[in-house]
Amino acid sequence: RKGGIFPIIISTILILSVCLIVVLPIGLLTAIYLATTKDTSIVRRSVEILSAVPSIVFGLFGNALFSIYLGLGFSILSGGLTLALMSLPLFITTVEKGVRAVPKRYHQVGASLGMSYLTMIKFVILPYALPSIIVGLVLSVGRSLAETAALIFTSGYVDRMPESLFDSGRSLSVHIYDLSMNVPGGDLNAYKSSFVLVILILTTNTIVSSGLRAWQ
């Protein structure tokens, strides 16, 4: 009750990092596949179904798969992987729209210059779709940092400083929930923690946007 939230901030950043490391490559590849391949009914239907699943269901699934079946227990890794599953549908849908918006003449010019498919993706498609990638990451970051239900069942409640990704870690959203619901007189600290969470979201979004624009 009287301790600081520095360990909780570190746990939150680690959980978010695991989530983004998984979401970015898988989401980009899936979005490009959906946008450039005609027969994608199974993949597209799977993405649509996942986008409609409640977060509490993701939490129970993550607990069963990552925490119990894979033996990761209540850990930062379990929480980050669960958040990745939640964020992928939103990220994939957003990036796919950006990839589909690339004019066909760009593809034709790239083919006429003898570009390979991978070269065209790197130098033509991804730079053009960069605004959509930024929007997808920003939305994914916002959803991940604000998530509570899924993390209660995967990353846990422990508020000490994590030593590795296999340690349990309490996120800021879970901490705010705990202060508001379970700690008498904890509302003031919950408000302060909420302010820190908003600042963290803004900072992370700025870093992600600046990094992607620099890469362009």
Side-chain angles (χ1 to χ4, degrees):
R1 297 181 182 181
K2 297 181 180 179
I5 61 172
F6 183 69
I8 298 172
I9 294 176
I10 297 299
S11 297
T12 303
I13 294 175
L14 290 176
I15 293 171
L16 178 63
S17 299
V18 172
C19 173
L20 294 182
I21 288 173
V22 175
V23 165
L24 190 56
I26 296 178
L28 283 176
L29 291 175
T30 306
I32 293 172
Y33 174 77
L34 289 174
T36 58
T37 307
K38 294 182 179 180
D39 188 14
T40 57
S41 57
I42 297 178
V43 178
R44 186 178 303 280
R45 183 61 58 86
S46 300
V47 172
E48 293 173 353
I49 292 175
L50 285 176
S51 63
V53 175
S55 59
I56 188 68
V57 177
F58 276 105
L60 293 173
F61 176 78
N63 177 268
L65 177 61
F66 302 121
S67 300
I68 298 176
Y69 183 76
L70 296 181
L72 299 178
F74 286 92
S75 63
I76 290 172
L77 192 56
S78 296
L81 292 174
T82 303
L83 288 185
L85 294 179
M86 291 181 55
S87 302
L88 273 173
L90 180 61
F91 180 76
I92 291 171
T93 302
T94 305
V95 175
E96 182 194 355
K97 293 179 180 179
V99 174
R100 286 187 177 276
V102 178
K104 291 184 178 180
R105 64 179 182 274
Y106 285 23
H107 296 269
Q108 296 170 351
V109 171
S112 67
L113 294 175
M115 286 186 177
S116 65
Y117 186 65
L118 292 178
T119 302
M120 192 178 302
I121 289 176
K122 181 178 180 180
F123 293 104
V124 178
I125 296 177
L126 290 183
Y128 191 92
L130 186 62
S132 297
I133 297 174
I134 294 175
V135 171
L137 279 179
V138 168
L139 293 176
S140 299
V141 167
R143 181 173 187 184
S144 298
L145 288 177
E147 184 53 45
T148 302
L151 294 179
I152 291 177
F153 295 102
T154 52
S155 62
Y157 267 91
V158 176
D159 57 359
R160 63 175 179 268
M161 180 67 71
E163 297 180 357
S164 72
L165 296 179
F166 297 97
D167 287 345
S168 177
R170 176 188 295 201
S171 69
L172 269 170
S173 57
V174 173
H175 184 63
I176 294 168
Y177 169 80
D178 189 46
L179 288 174
S180 301
M181 303 300 295
N182 301 325
V183 178
D187 289 341
L188 180 59
N189 286 335
Y191 300 149
K192 295 178 181 178
S193 299
S194 300
F195 176 75
V196 173
L197 179 58
V198 172
I199 296 299
L200 183 60
I201 291 175
L202 293 176
T203 302
T204 306
N205 289 344
T206 301
I207 293 174
V208 170
S209 300
S210 301
L212 287 176
R213 293 186 188 279
W215 173 75
Q216 186 184 27

